[in-house]
Amino acid sequence: MPGRYTLWIASLSALAAVCFTALGASFLLPRMAQNDAPPAVSVPIAQLTVSRPPPPVPNAAKPAAPQRVAWKDDGQPIDAEWALGEAIRHLEAGKAGEALSLLQDITHKEPDFIPARPVYRQLLAASEKGAPEPKRMAELAEEARIRLDSEKAVPPEGTVPNAVLQLPASHKHLLVTDLQRARLYVFENDGGRLRLMRHHYAAMGKNGAGKEARGDNRTPIGIYHITRWLKDESLPELYGAGAWPTNYPNPWDVFKRRTGHGIWLHGVPRDTESRAPRSSEGCVTMANDDLLSLKPYIDLGDTPVVLSNELEWVTPAAQQKDREEFLARVESWRARWSARDTEGYLSFYGPEFTVSGMNLKQFTEHKKRVNAGKKHIDVKLGNISLYRYPGAGTPLLLAEFEMDYRSDNFNQRSRKQQFWKQDGEGVWKIFREENL
């Protein structure tokens, strides 16, 4: 009866398989591998499962907004500067609720403490949508820190910006912006002595300072002049109460092949108190009242505007030695030219010198040829400004002046810029001249 025998064998095999599974690896496997070392670990079949993440929940709720206790006046004063510092630390630690409560306390108890107000409003708006993202809190912490540093950036009495060595009487006022601290300073030029008139918060480009190319969203570093006033009604609301365009790119920027245009000092939309420290496309922005307050201090085409990322405050006495030495160099250059001492005159120019498409060799040949045909030369300089040019990387001095040139066969009045830097032996040489 082979059919029944075969069926019996198949049934027995199936039963053995079931028994092997039920008994598990703890009973049979050690006997099958009794010569192996070490013995297999016993794991119940029920535990041999694969963990999988739960399926995404459609329209999952956002993290809850940080809790903010309703403000109640406890009658206790608050140190606004200290409290803002604490709020910054909470933001950096990701504690939005604690930061929000502190900022709320500051704005209620010290409503005139300007640095806290815009940060509080922005954090409050972000929190109403849920827990702010860590990146957003870090941005607000940086903004609050710069605003606080700006508020504290009051120069010691009697000090002047290190970028300015001398201003002529023709420049009645001076604007200086400390880009790193988001602060703009207005000085009166009182007979060559700079006197601080006012200062206020001012923001710069979203990618910081050091403009090189169009669209890089950076604010230029350098010395500029205001060219005109653009009225409120001629501008989009983004510019607020108006704008003061500058002469970027100036001759130095052109020489450095920097591109872009439209670098202005302008206001903000009327529903905005002030913009974040880094928020523009390269302009310097400020509250509308602060922008309008500049009007009495700006003479179009004349008032210098220093945009610096390395501003320091020094005493006029500390400036005196450098000012006198620089002025003496410029005067010696003028005197050698007026004396028709061509070799002495040319000794002031460095090997890298360029002007109007000429290098030093071409310029030297040109000047020797011109001066040889002169019977007399008289050069007078006036309205001399002397600067340490910011953002150049290596020490760079700028002399800007009016020049009256007279000779037996040619007369000319012009404005000129000279850029001076040290050669390999530490001697100051002219390496760039520009006629303005």
Side-chain angles (χ1 to χ4, degrees), residues 148-322:
L148 180 57
D149 287 345
S150 177
E151 193 71 13
K152 294 162 61 178
V154 180
E157 187 174 355
T159 58
V160 295
N162 63 328
V164 183
L165 290 170
Q166 175 174 296
L167 277 187
S170 61
H171 293 336
K172 297 177 182 178
H173 297 94
L174 166 74
L175 306 184
V176 178
T177 301
D178 186 340
L179 296 173
Q180 298 303 314
R181 296 180 181 87
R183 203 78 185 169
L184 186 147
Y185 304 87
V186 180
F187 290 89
E188 179 185 50
N189 181 17
D190 182 11
R193 295 186 299 273
L194 296 179
R195 185 162 61 93
L196 182 64
M197 302 296 292
R198 58 173 289 124
H199 56 97
H200 57 255
Y201 171 84
M204 65 171 170
K206 62 186 69 172
N207 288 330
K211 188 170 187 62
E212 293 292 336
R214 178 180 181 181
D216 64 5
N217 292 323
R218 292 182 178 274
T219 299
I221 299 170
I223 297 169
Y224 301 92
H225 294 274
I226 300 293
T227 60
R228 55 191 172 133
W229 166 249
L230 297 177
K231 296 180 180 179
D232 174 11
E233 53 267 26
S234 66
L235 296 169
E237 177 61 15
L238 173 68
Y239 299 96
W244 303 99
T246 72
N247 66 323
Y248 175 88
N250 64 18
W252 177 250
D253 296 315
V254 173
F255 171 66
K256 300 296 286 185
R257 298 185 178 180
R258 292 169 181 154
T259 59
H261 63 279
I263 300 300
W264 301 351
L265 279 60
H266 66 78
V268 294
R270 282 168 176 74
D271 60 355
T272 304
E273 183 175 33
S274 63
R275 292 176 66 170
R278 296 186 178 186
S279 57
S280 77
E281 294 182 358
C283 294
V284 176
T285 66
M286 63 202 77
N288 291 316
D289 287 345
D290 290 332
L291 180 81
L292 295 175
S293 75
L294 299 179
K295 279 193 171 185
Y297 307 109
I298 293 178
D299 294 320
L300 298 182
D302 182 80
T303 303
V305 179
V306 178
L307 302 179
S308 178
N309 65 331
E310 51 194 35
L311 187 66
E312 296 178 4
W313 300 101
V314 297
T315 64
Q319 299 274 68
Q320 183 174 347
K321 181 174 181 291
D322 287 344

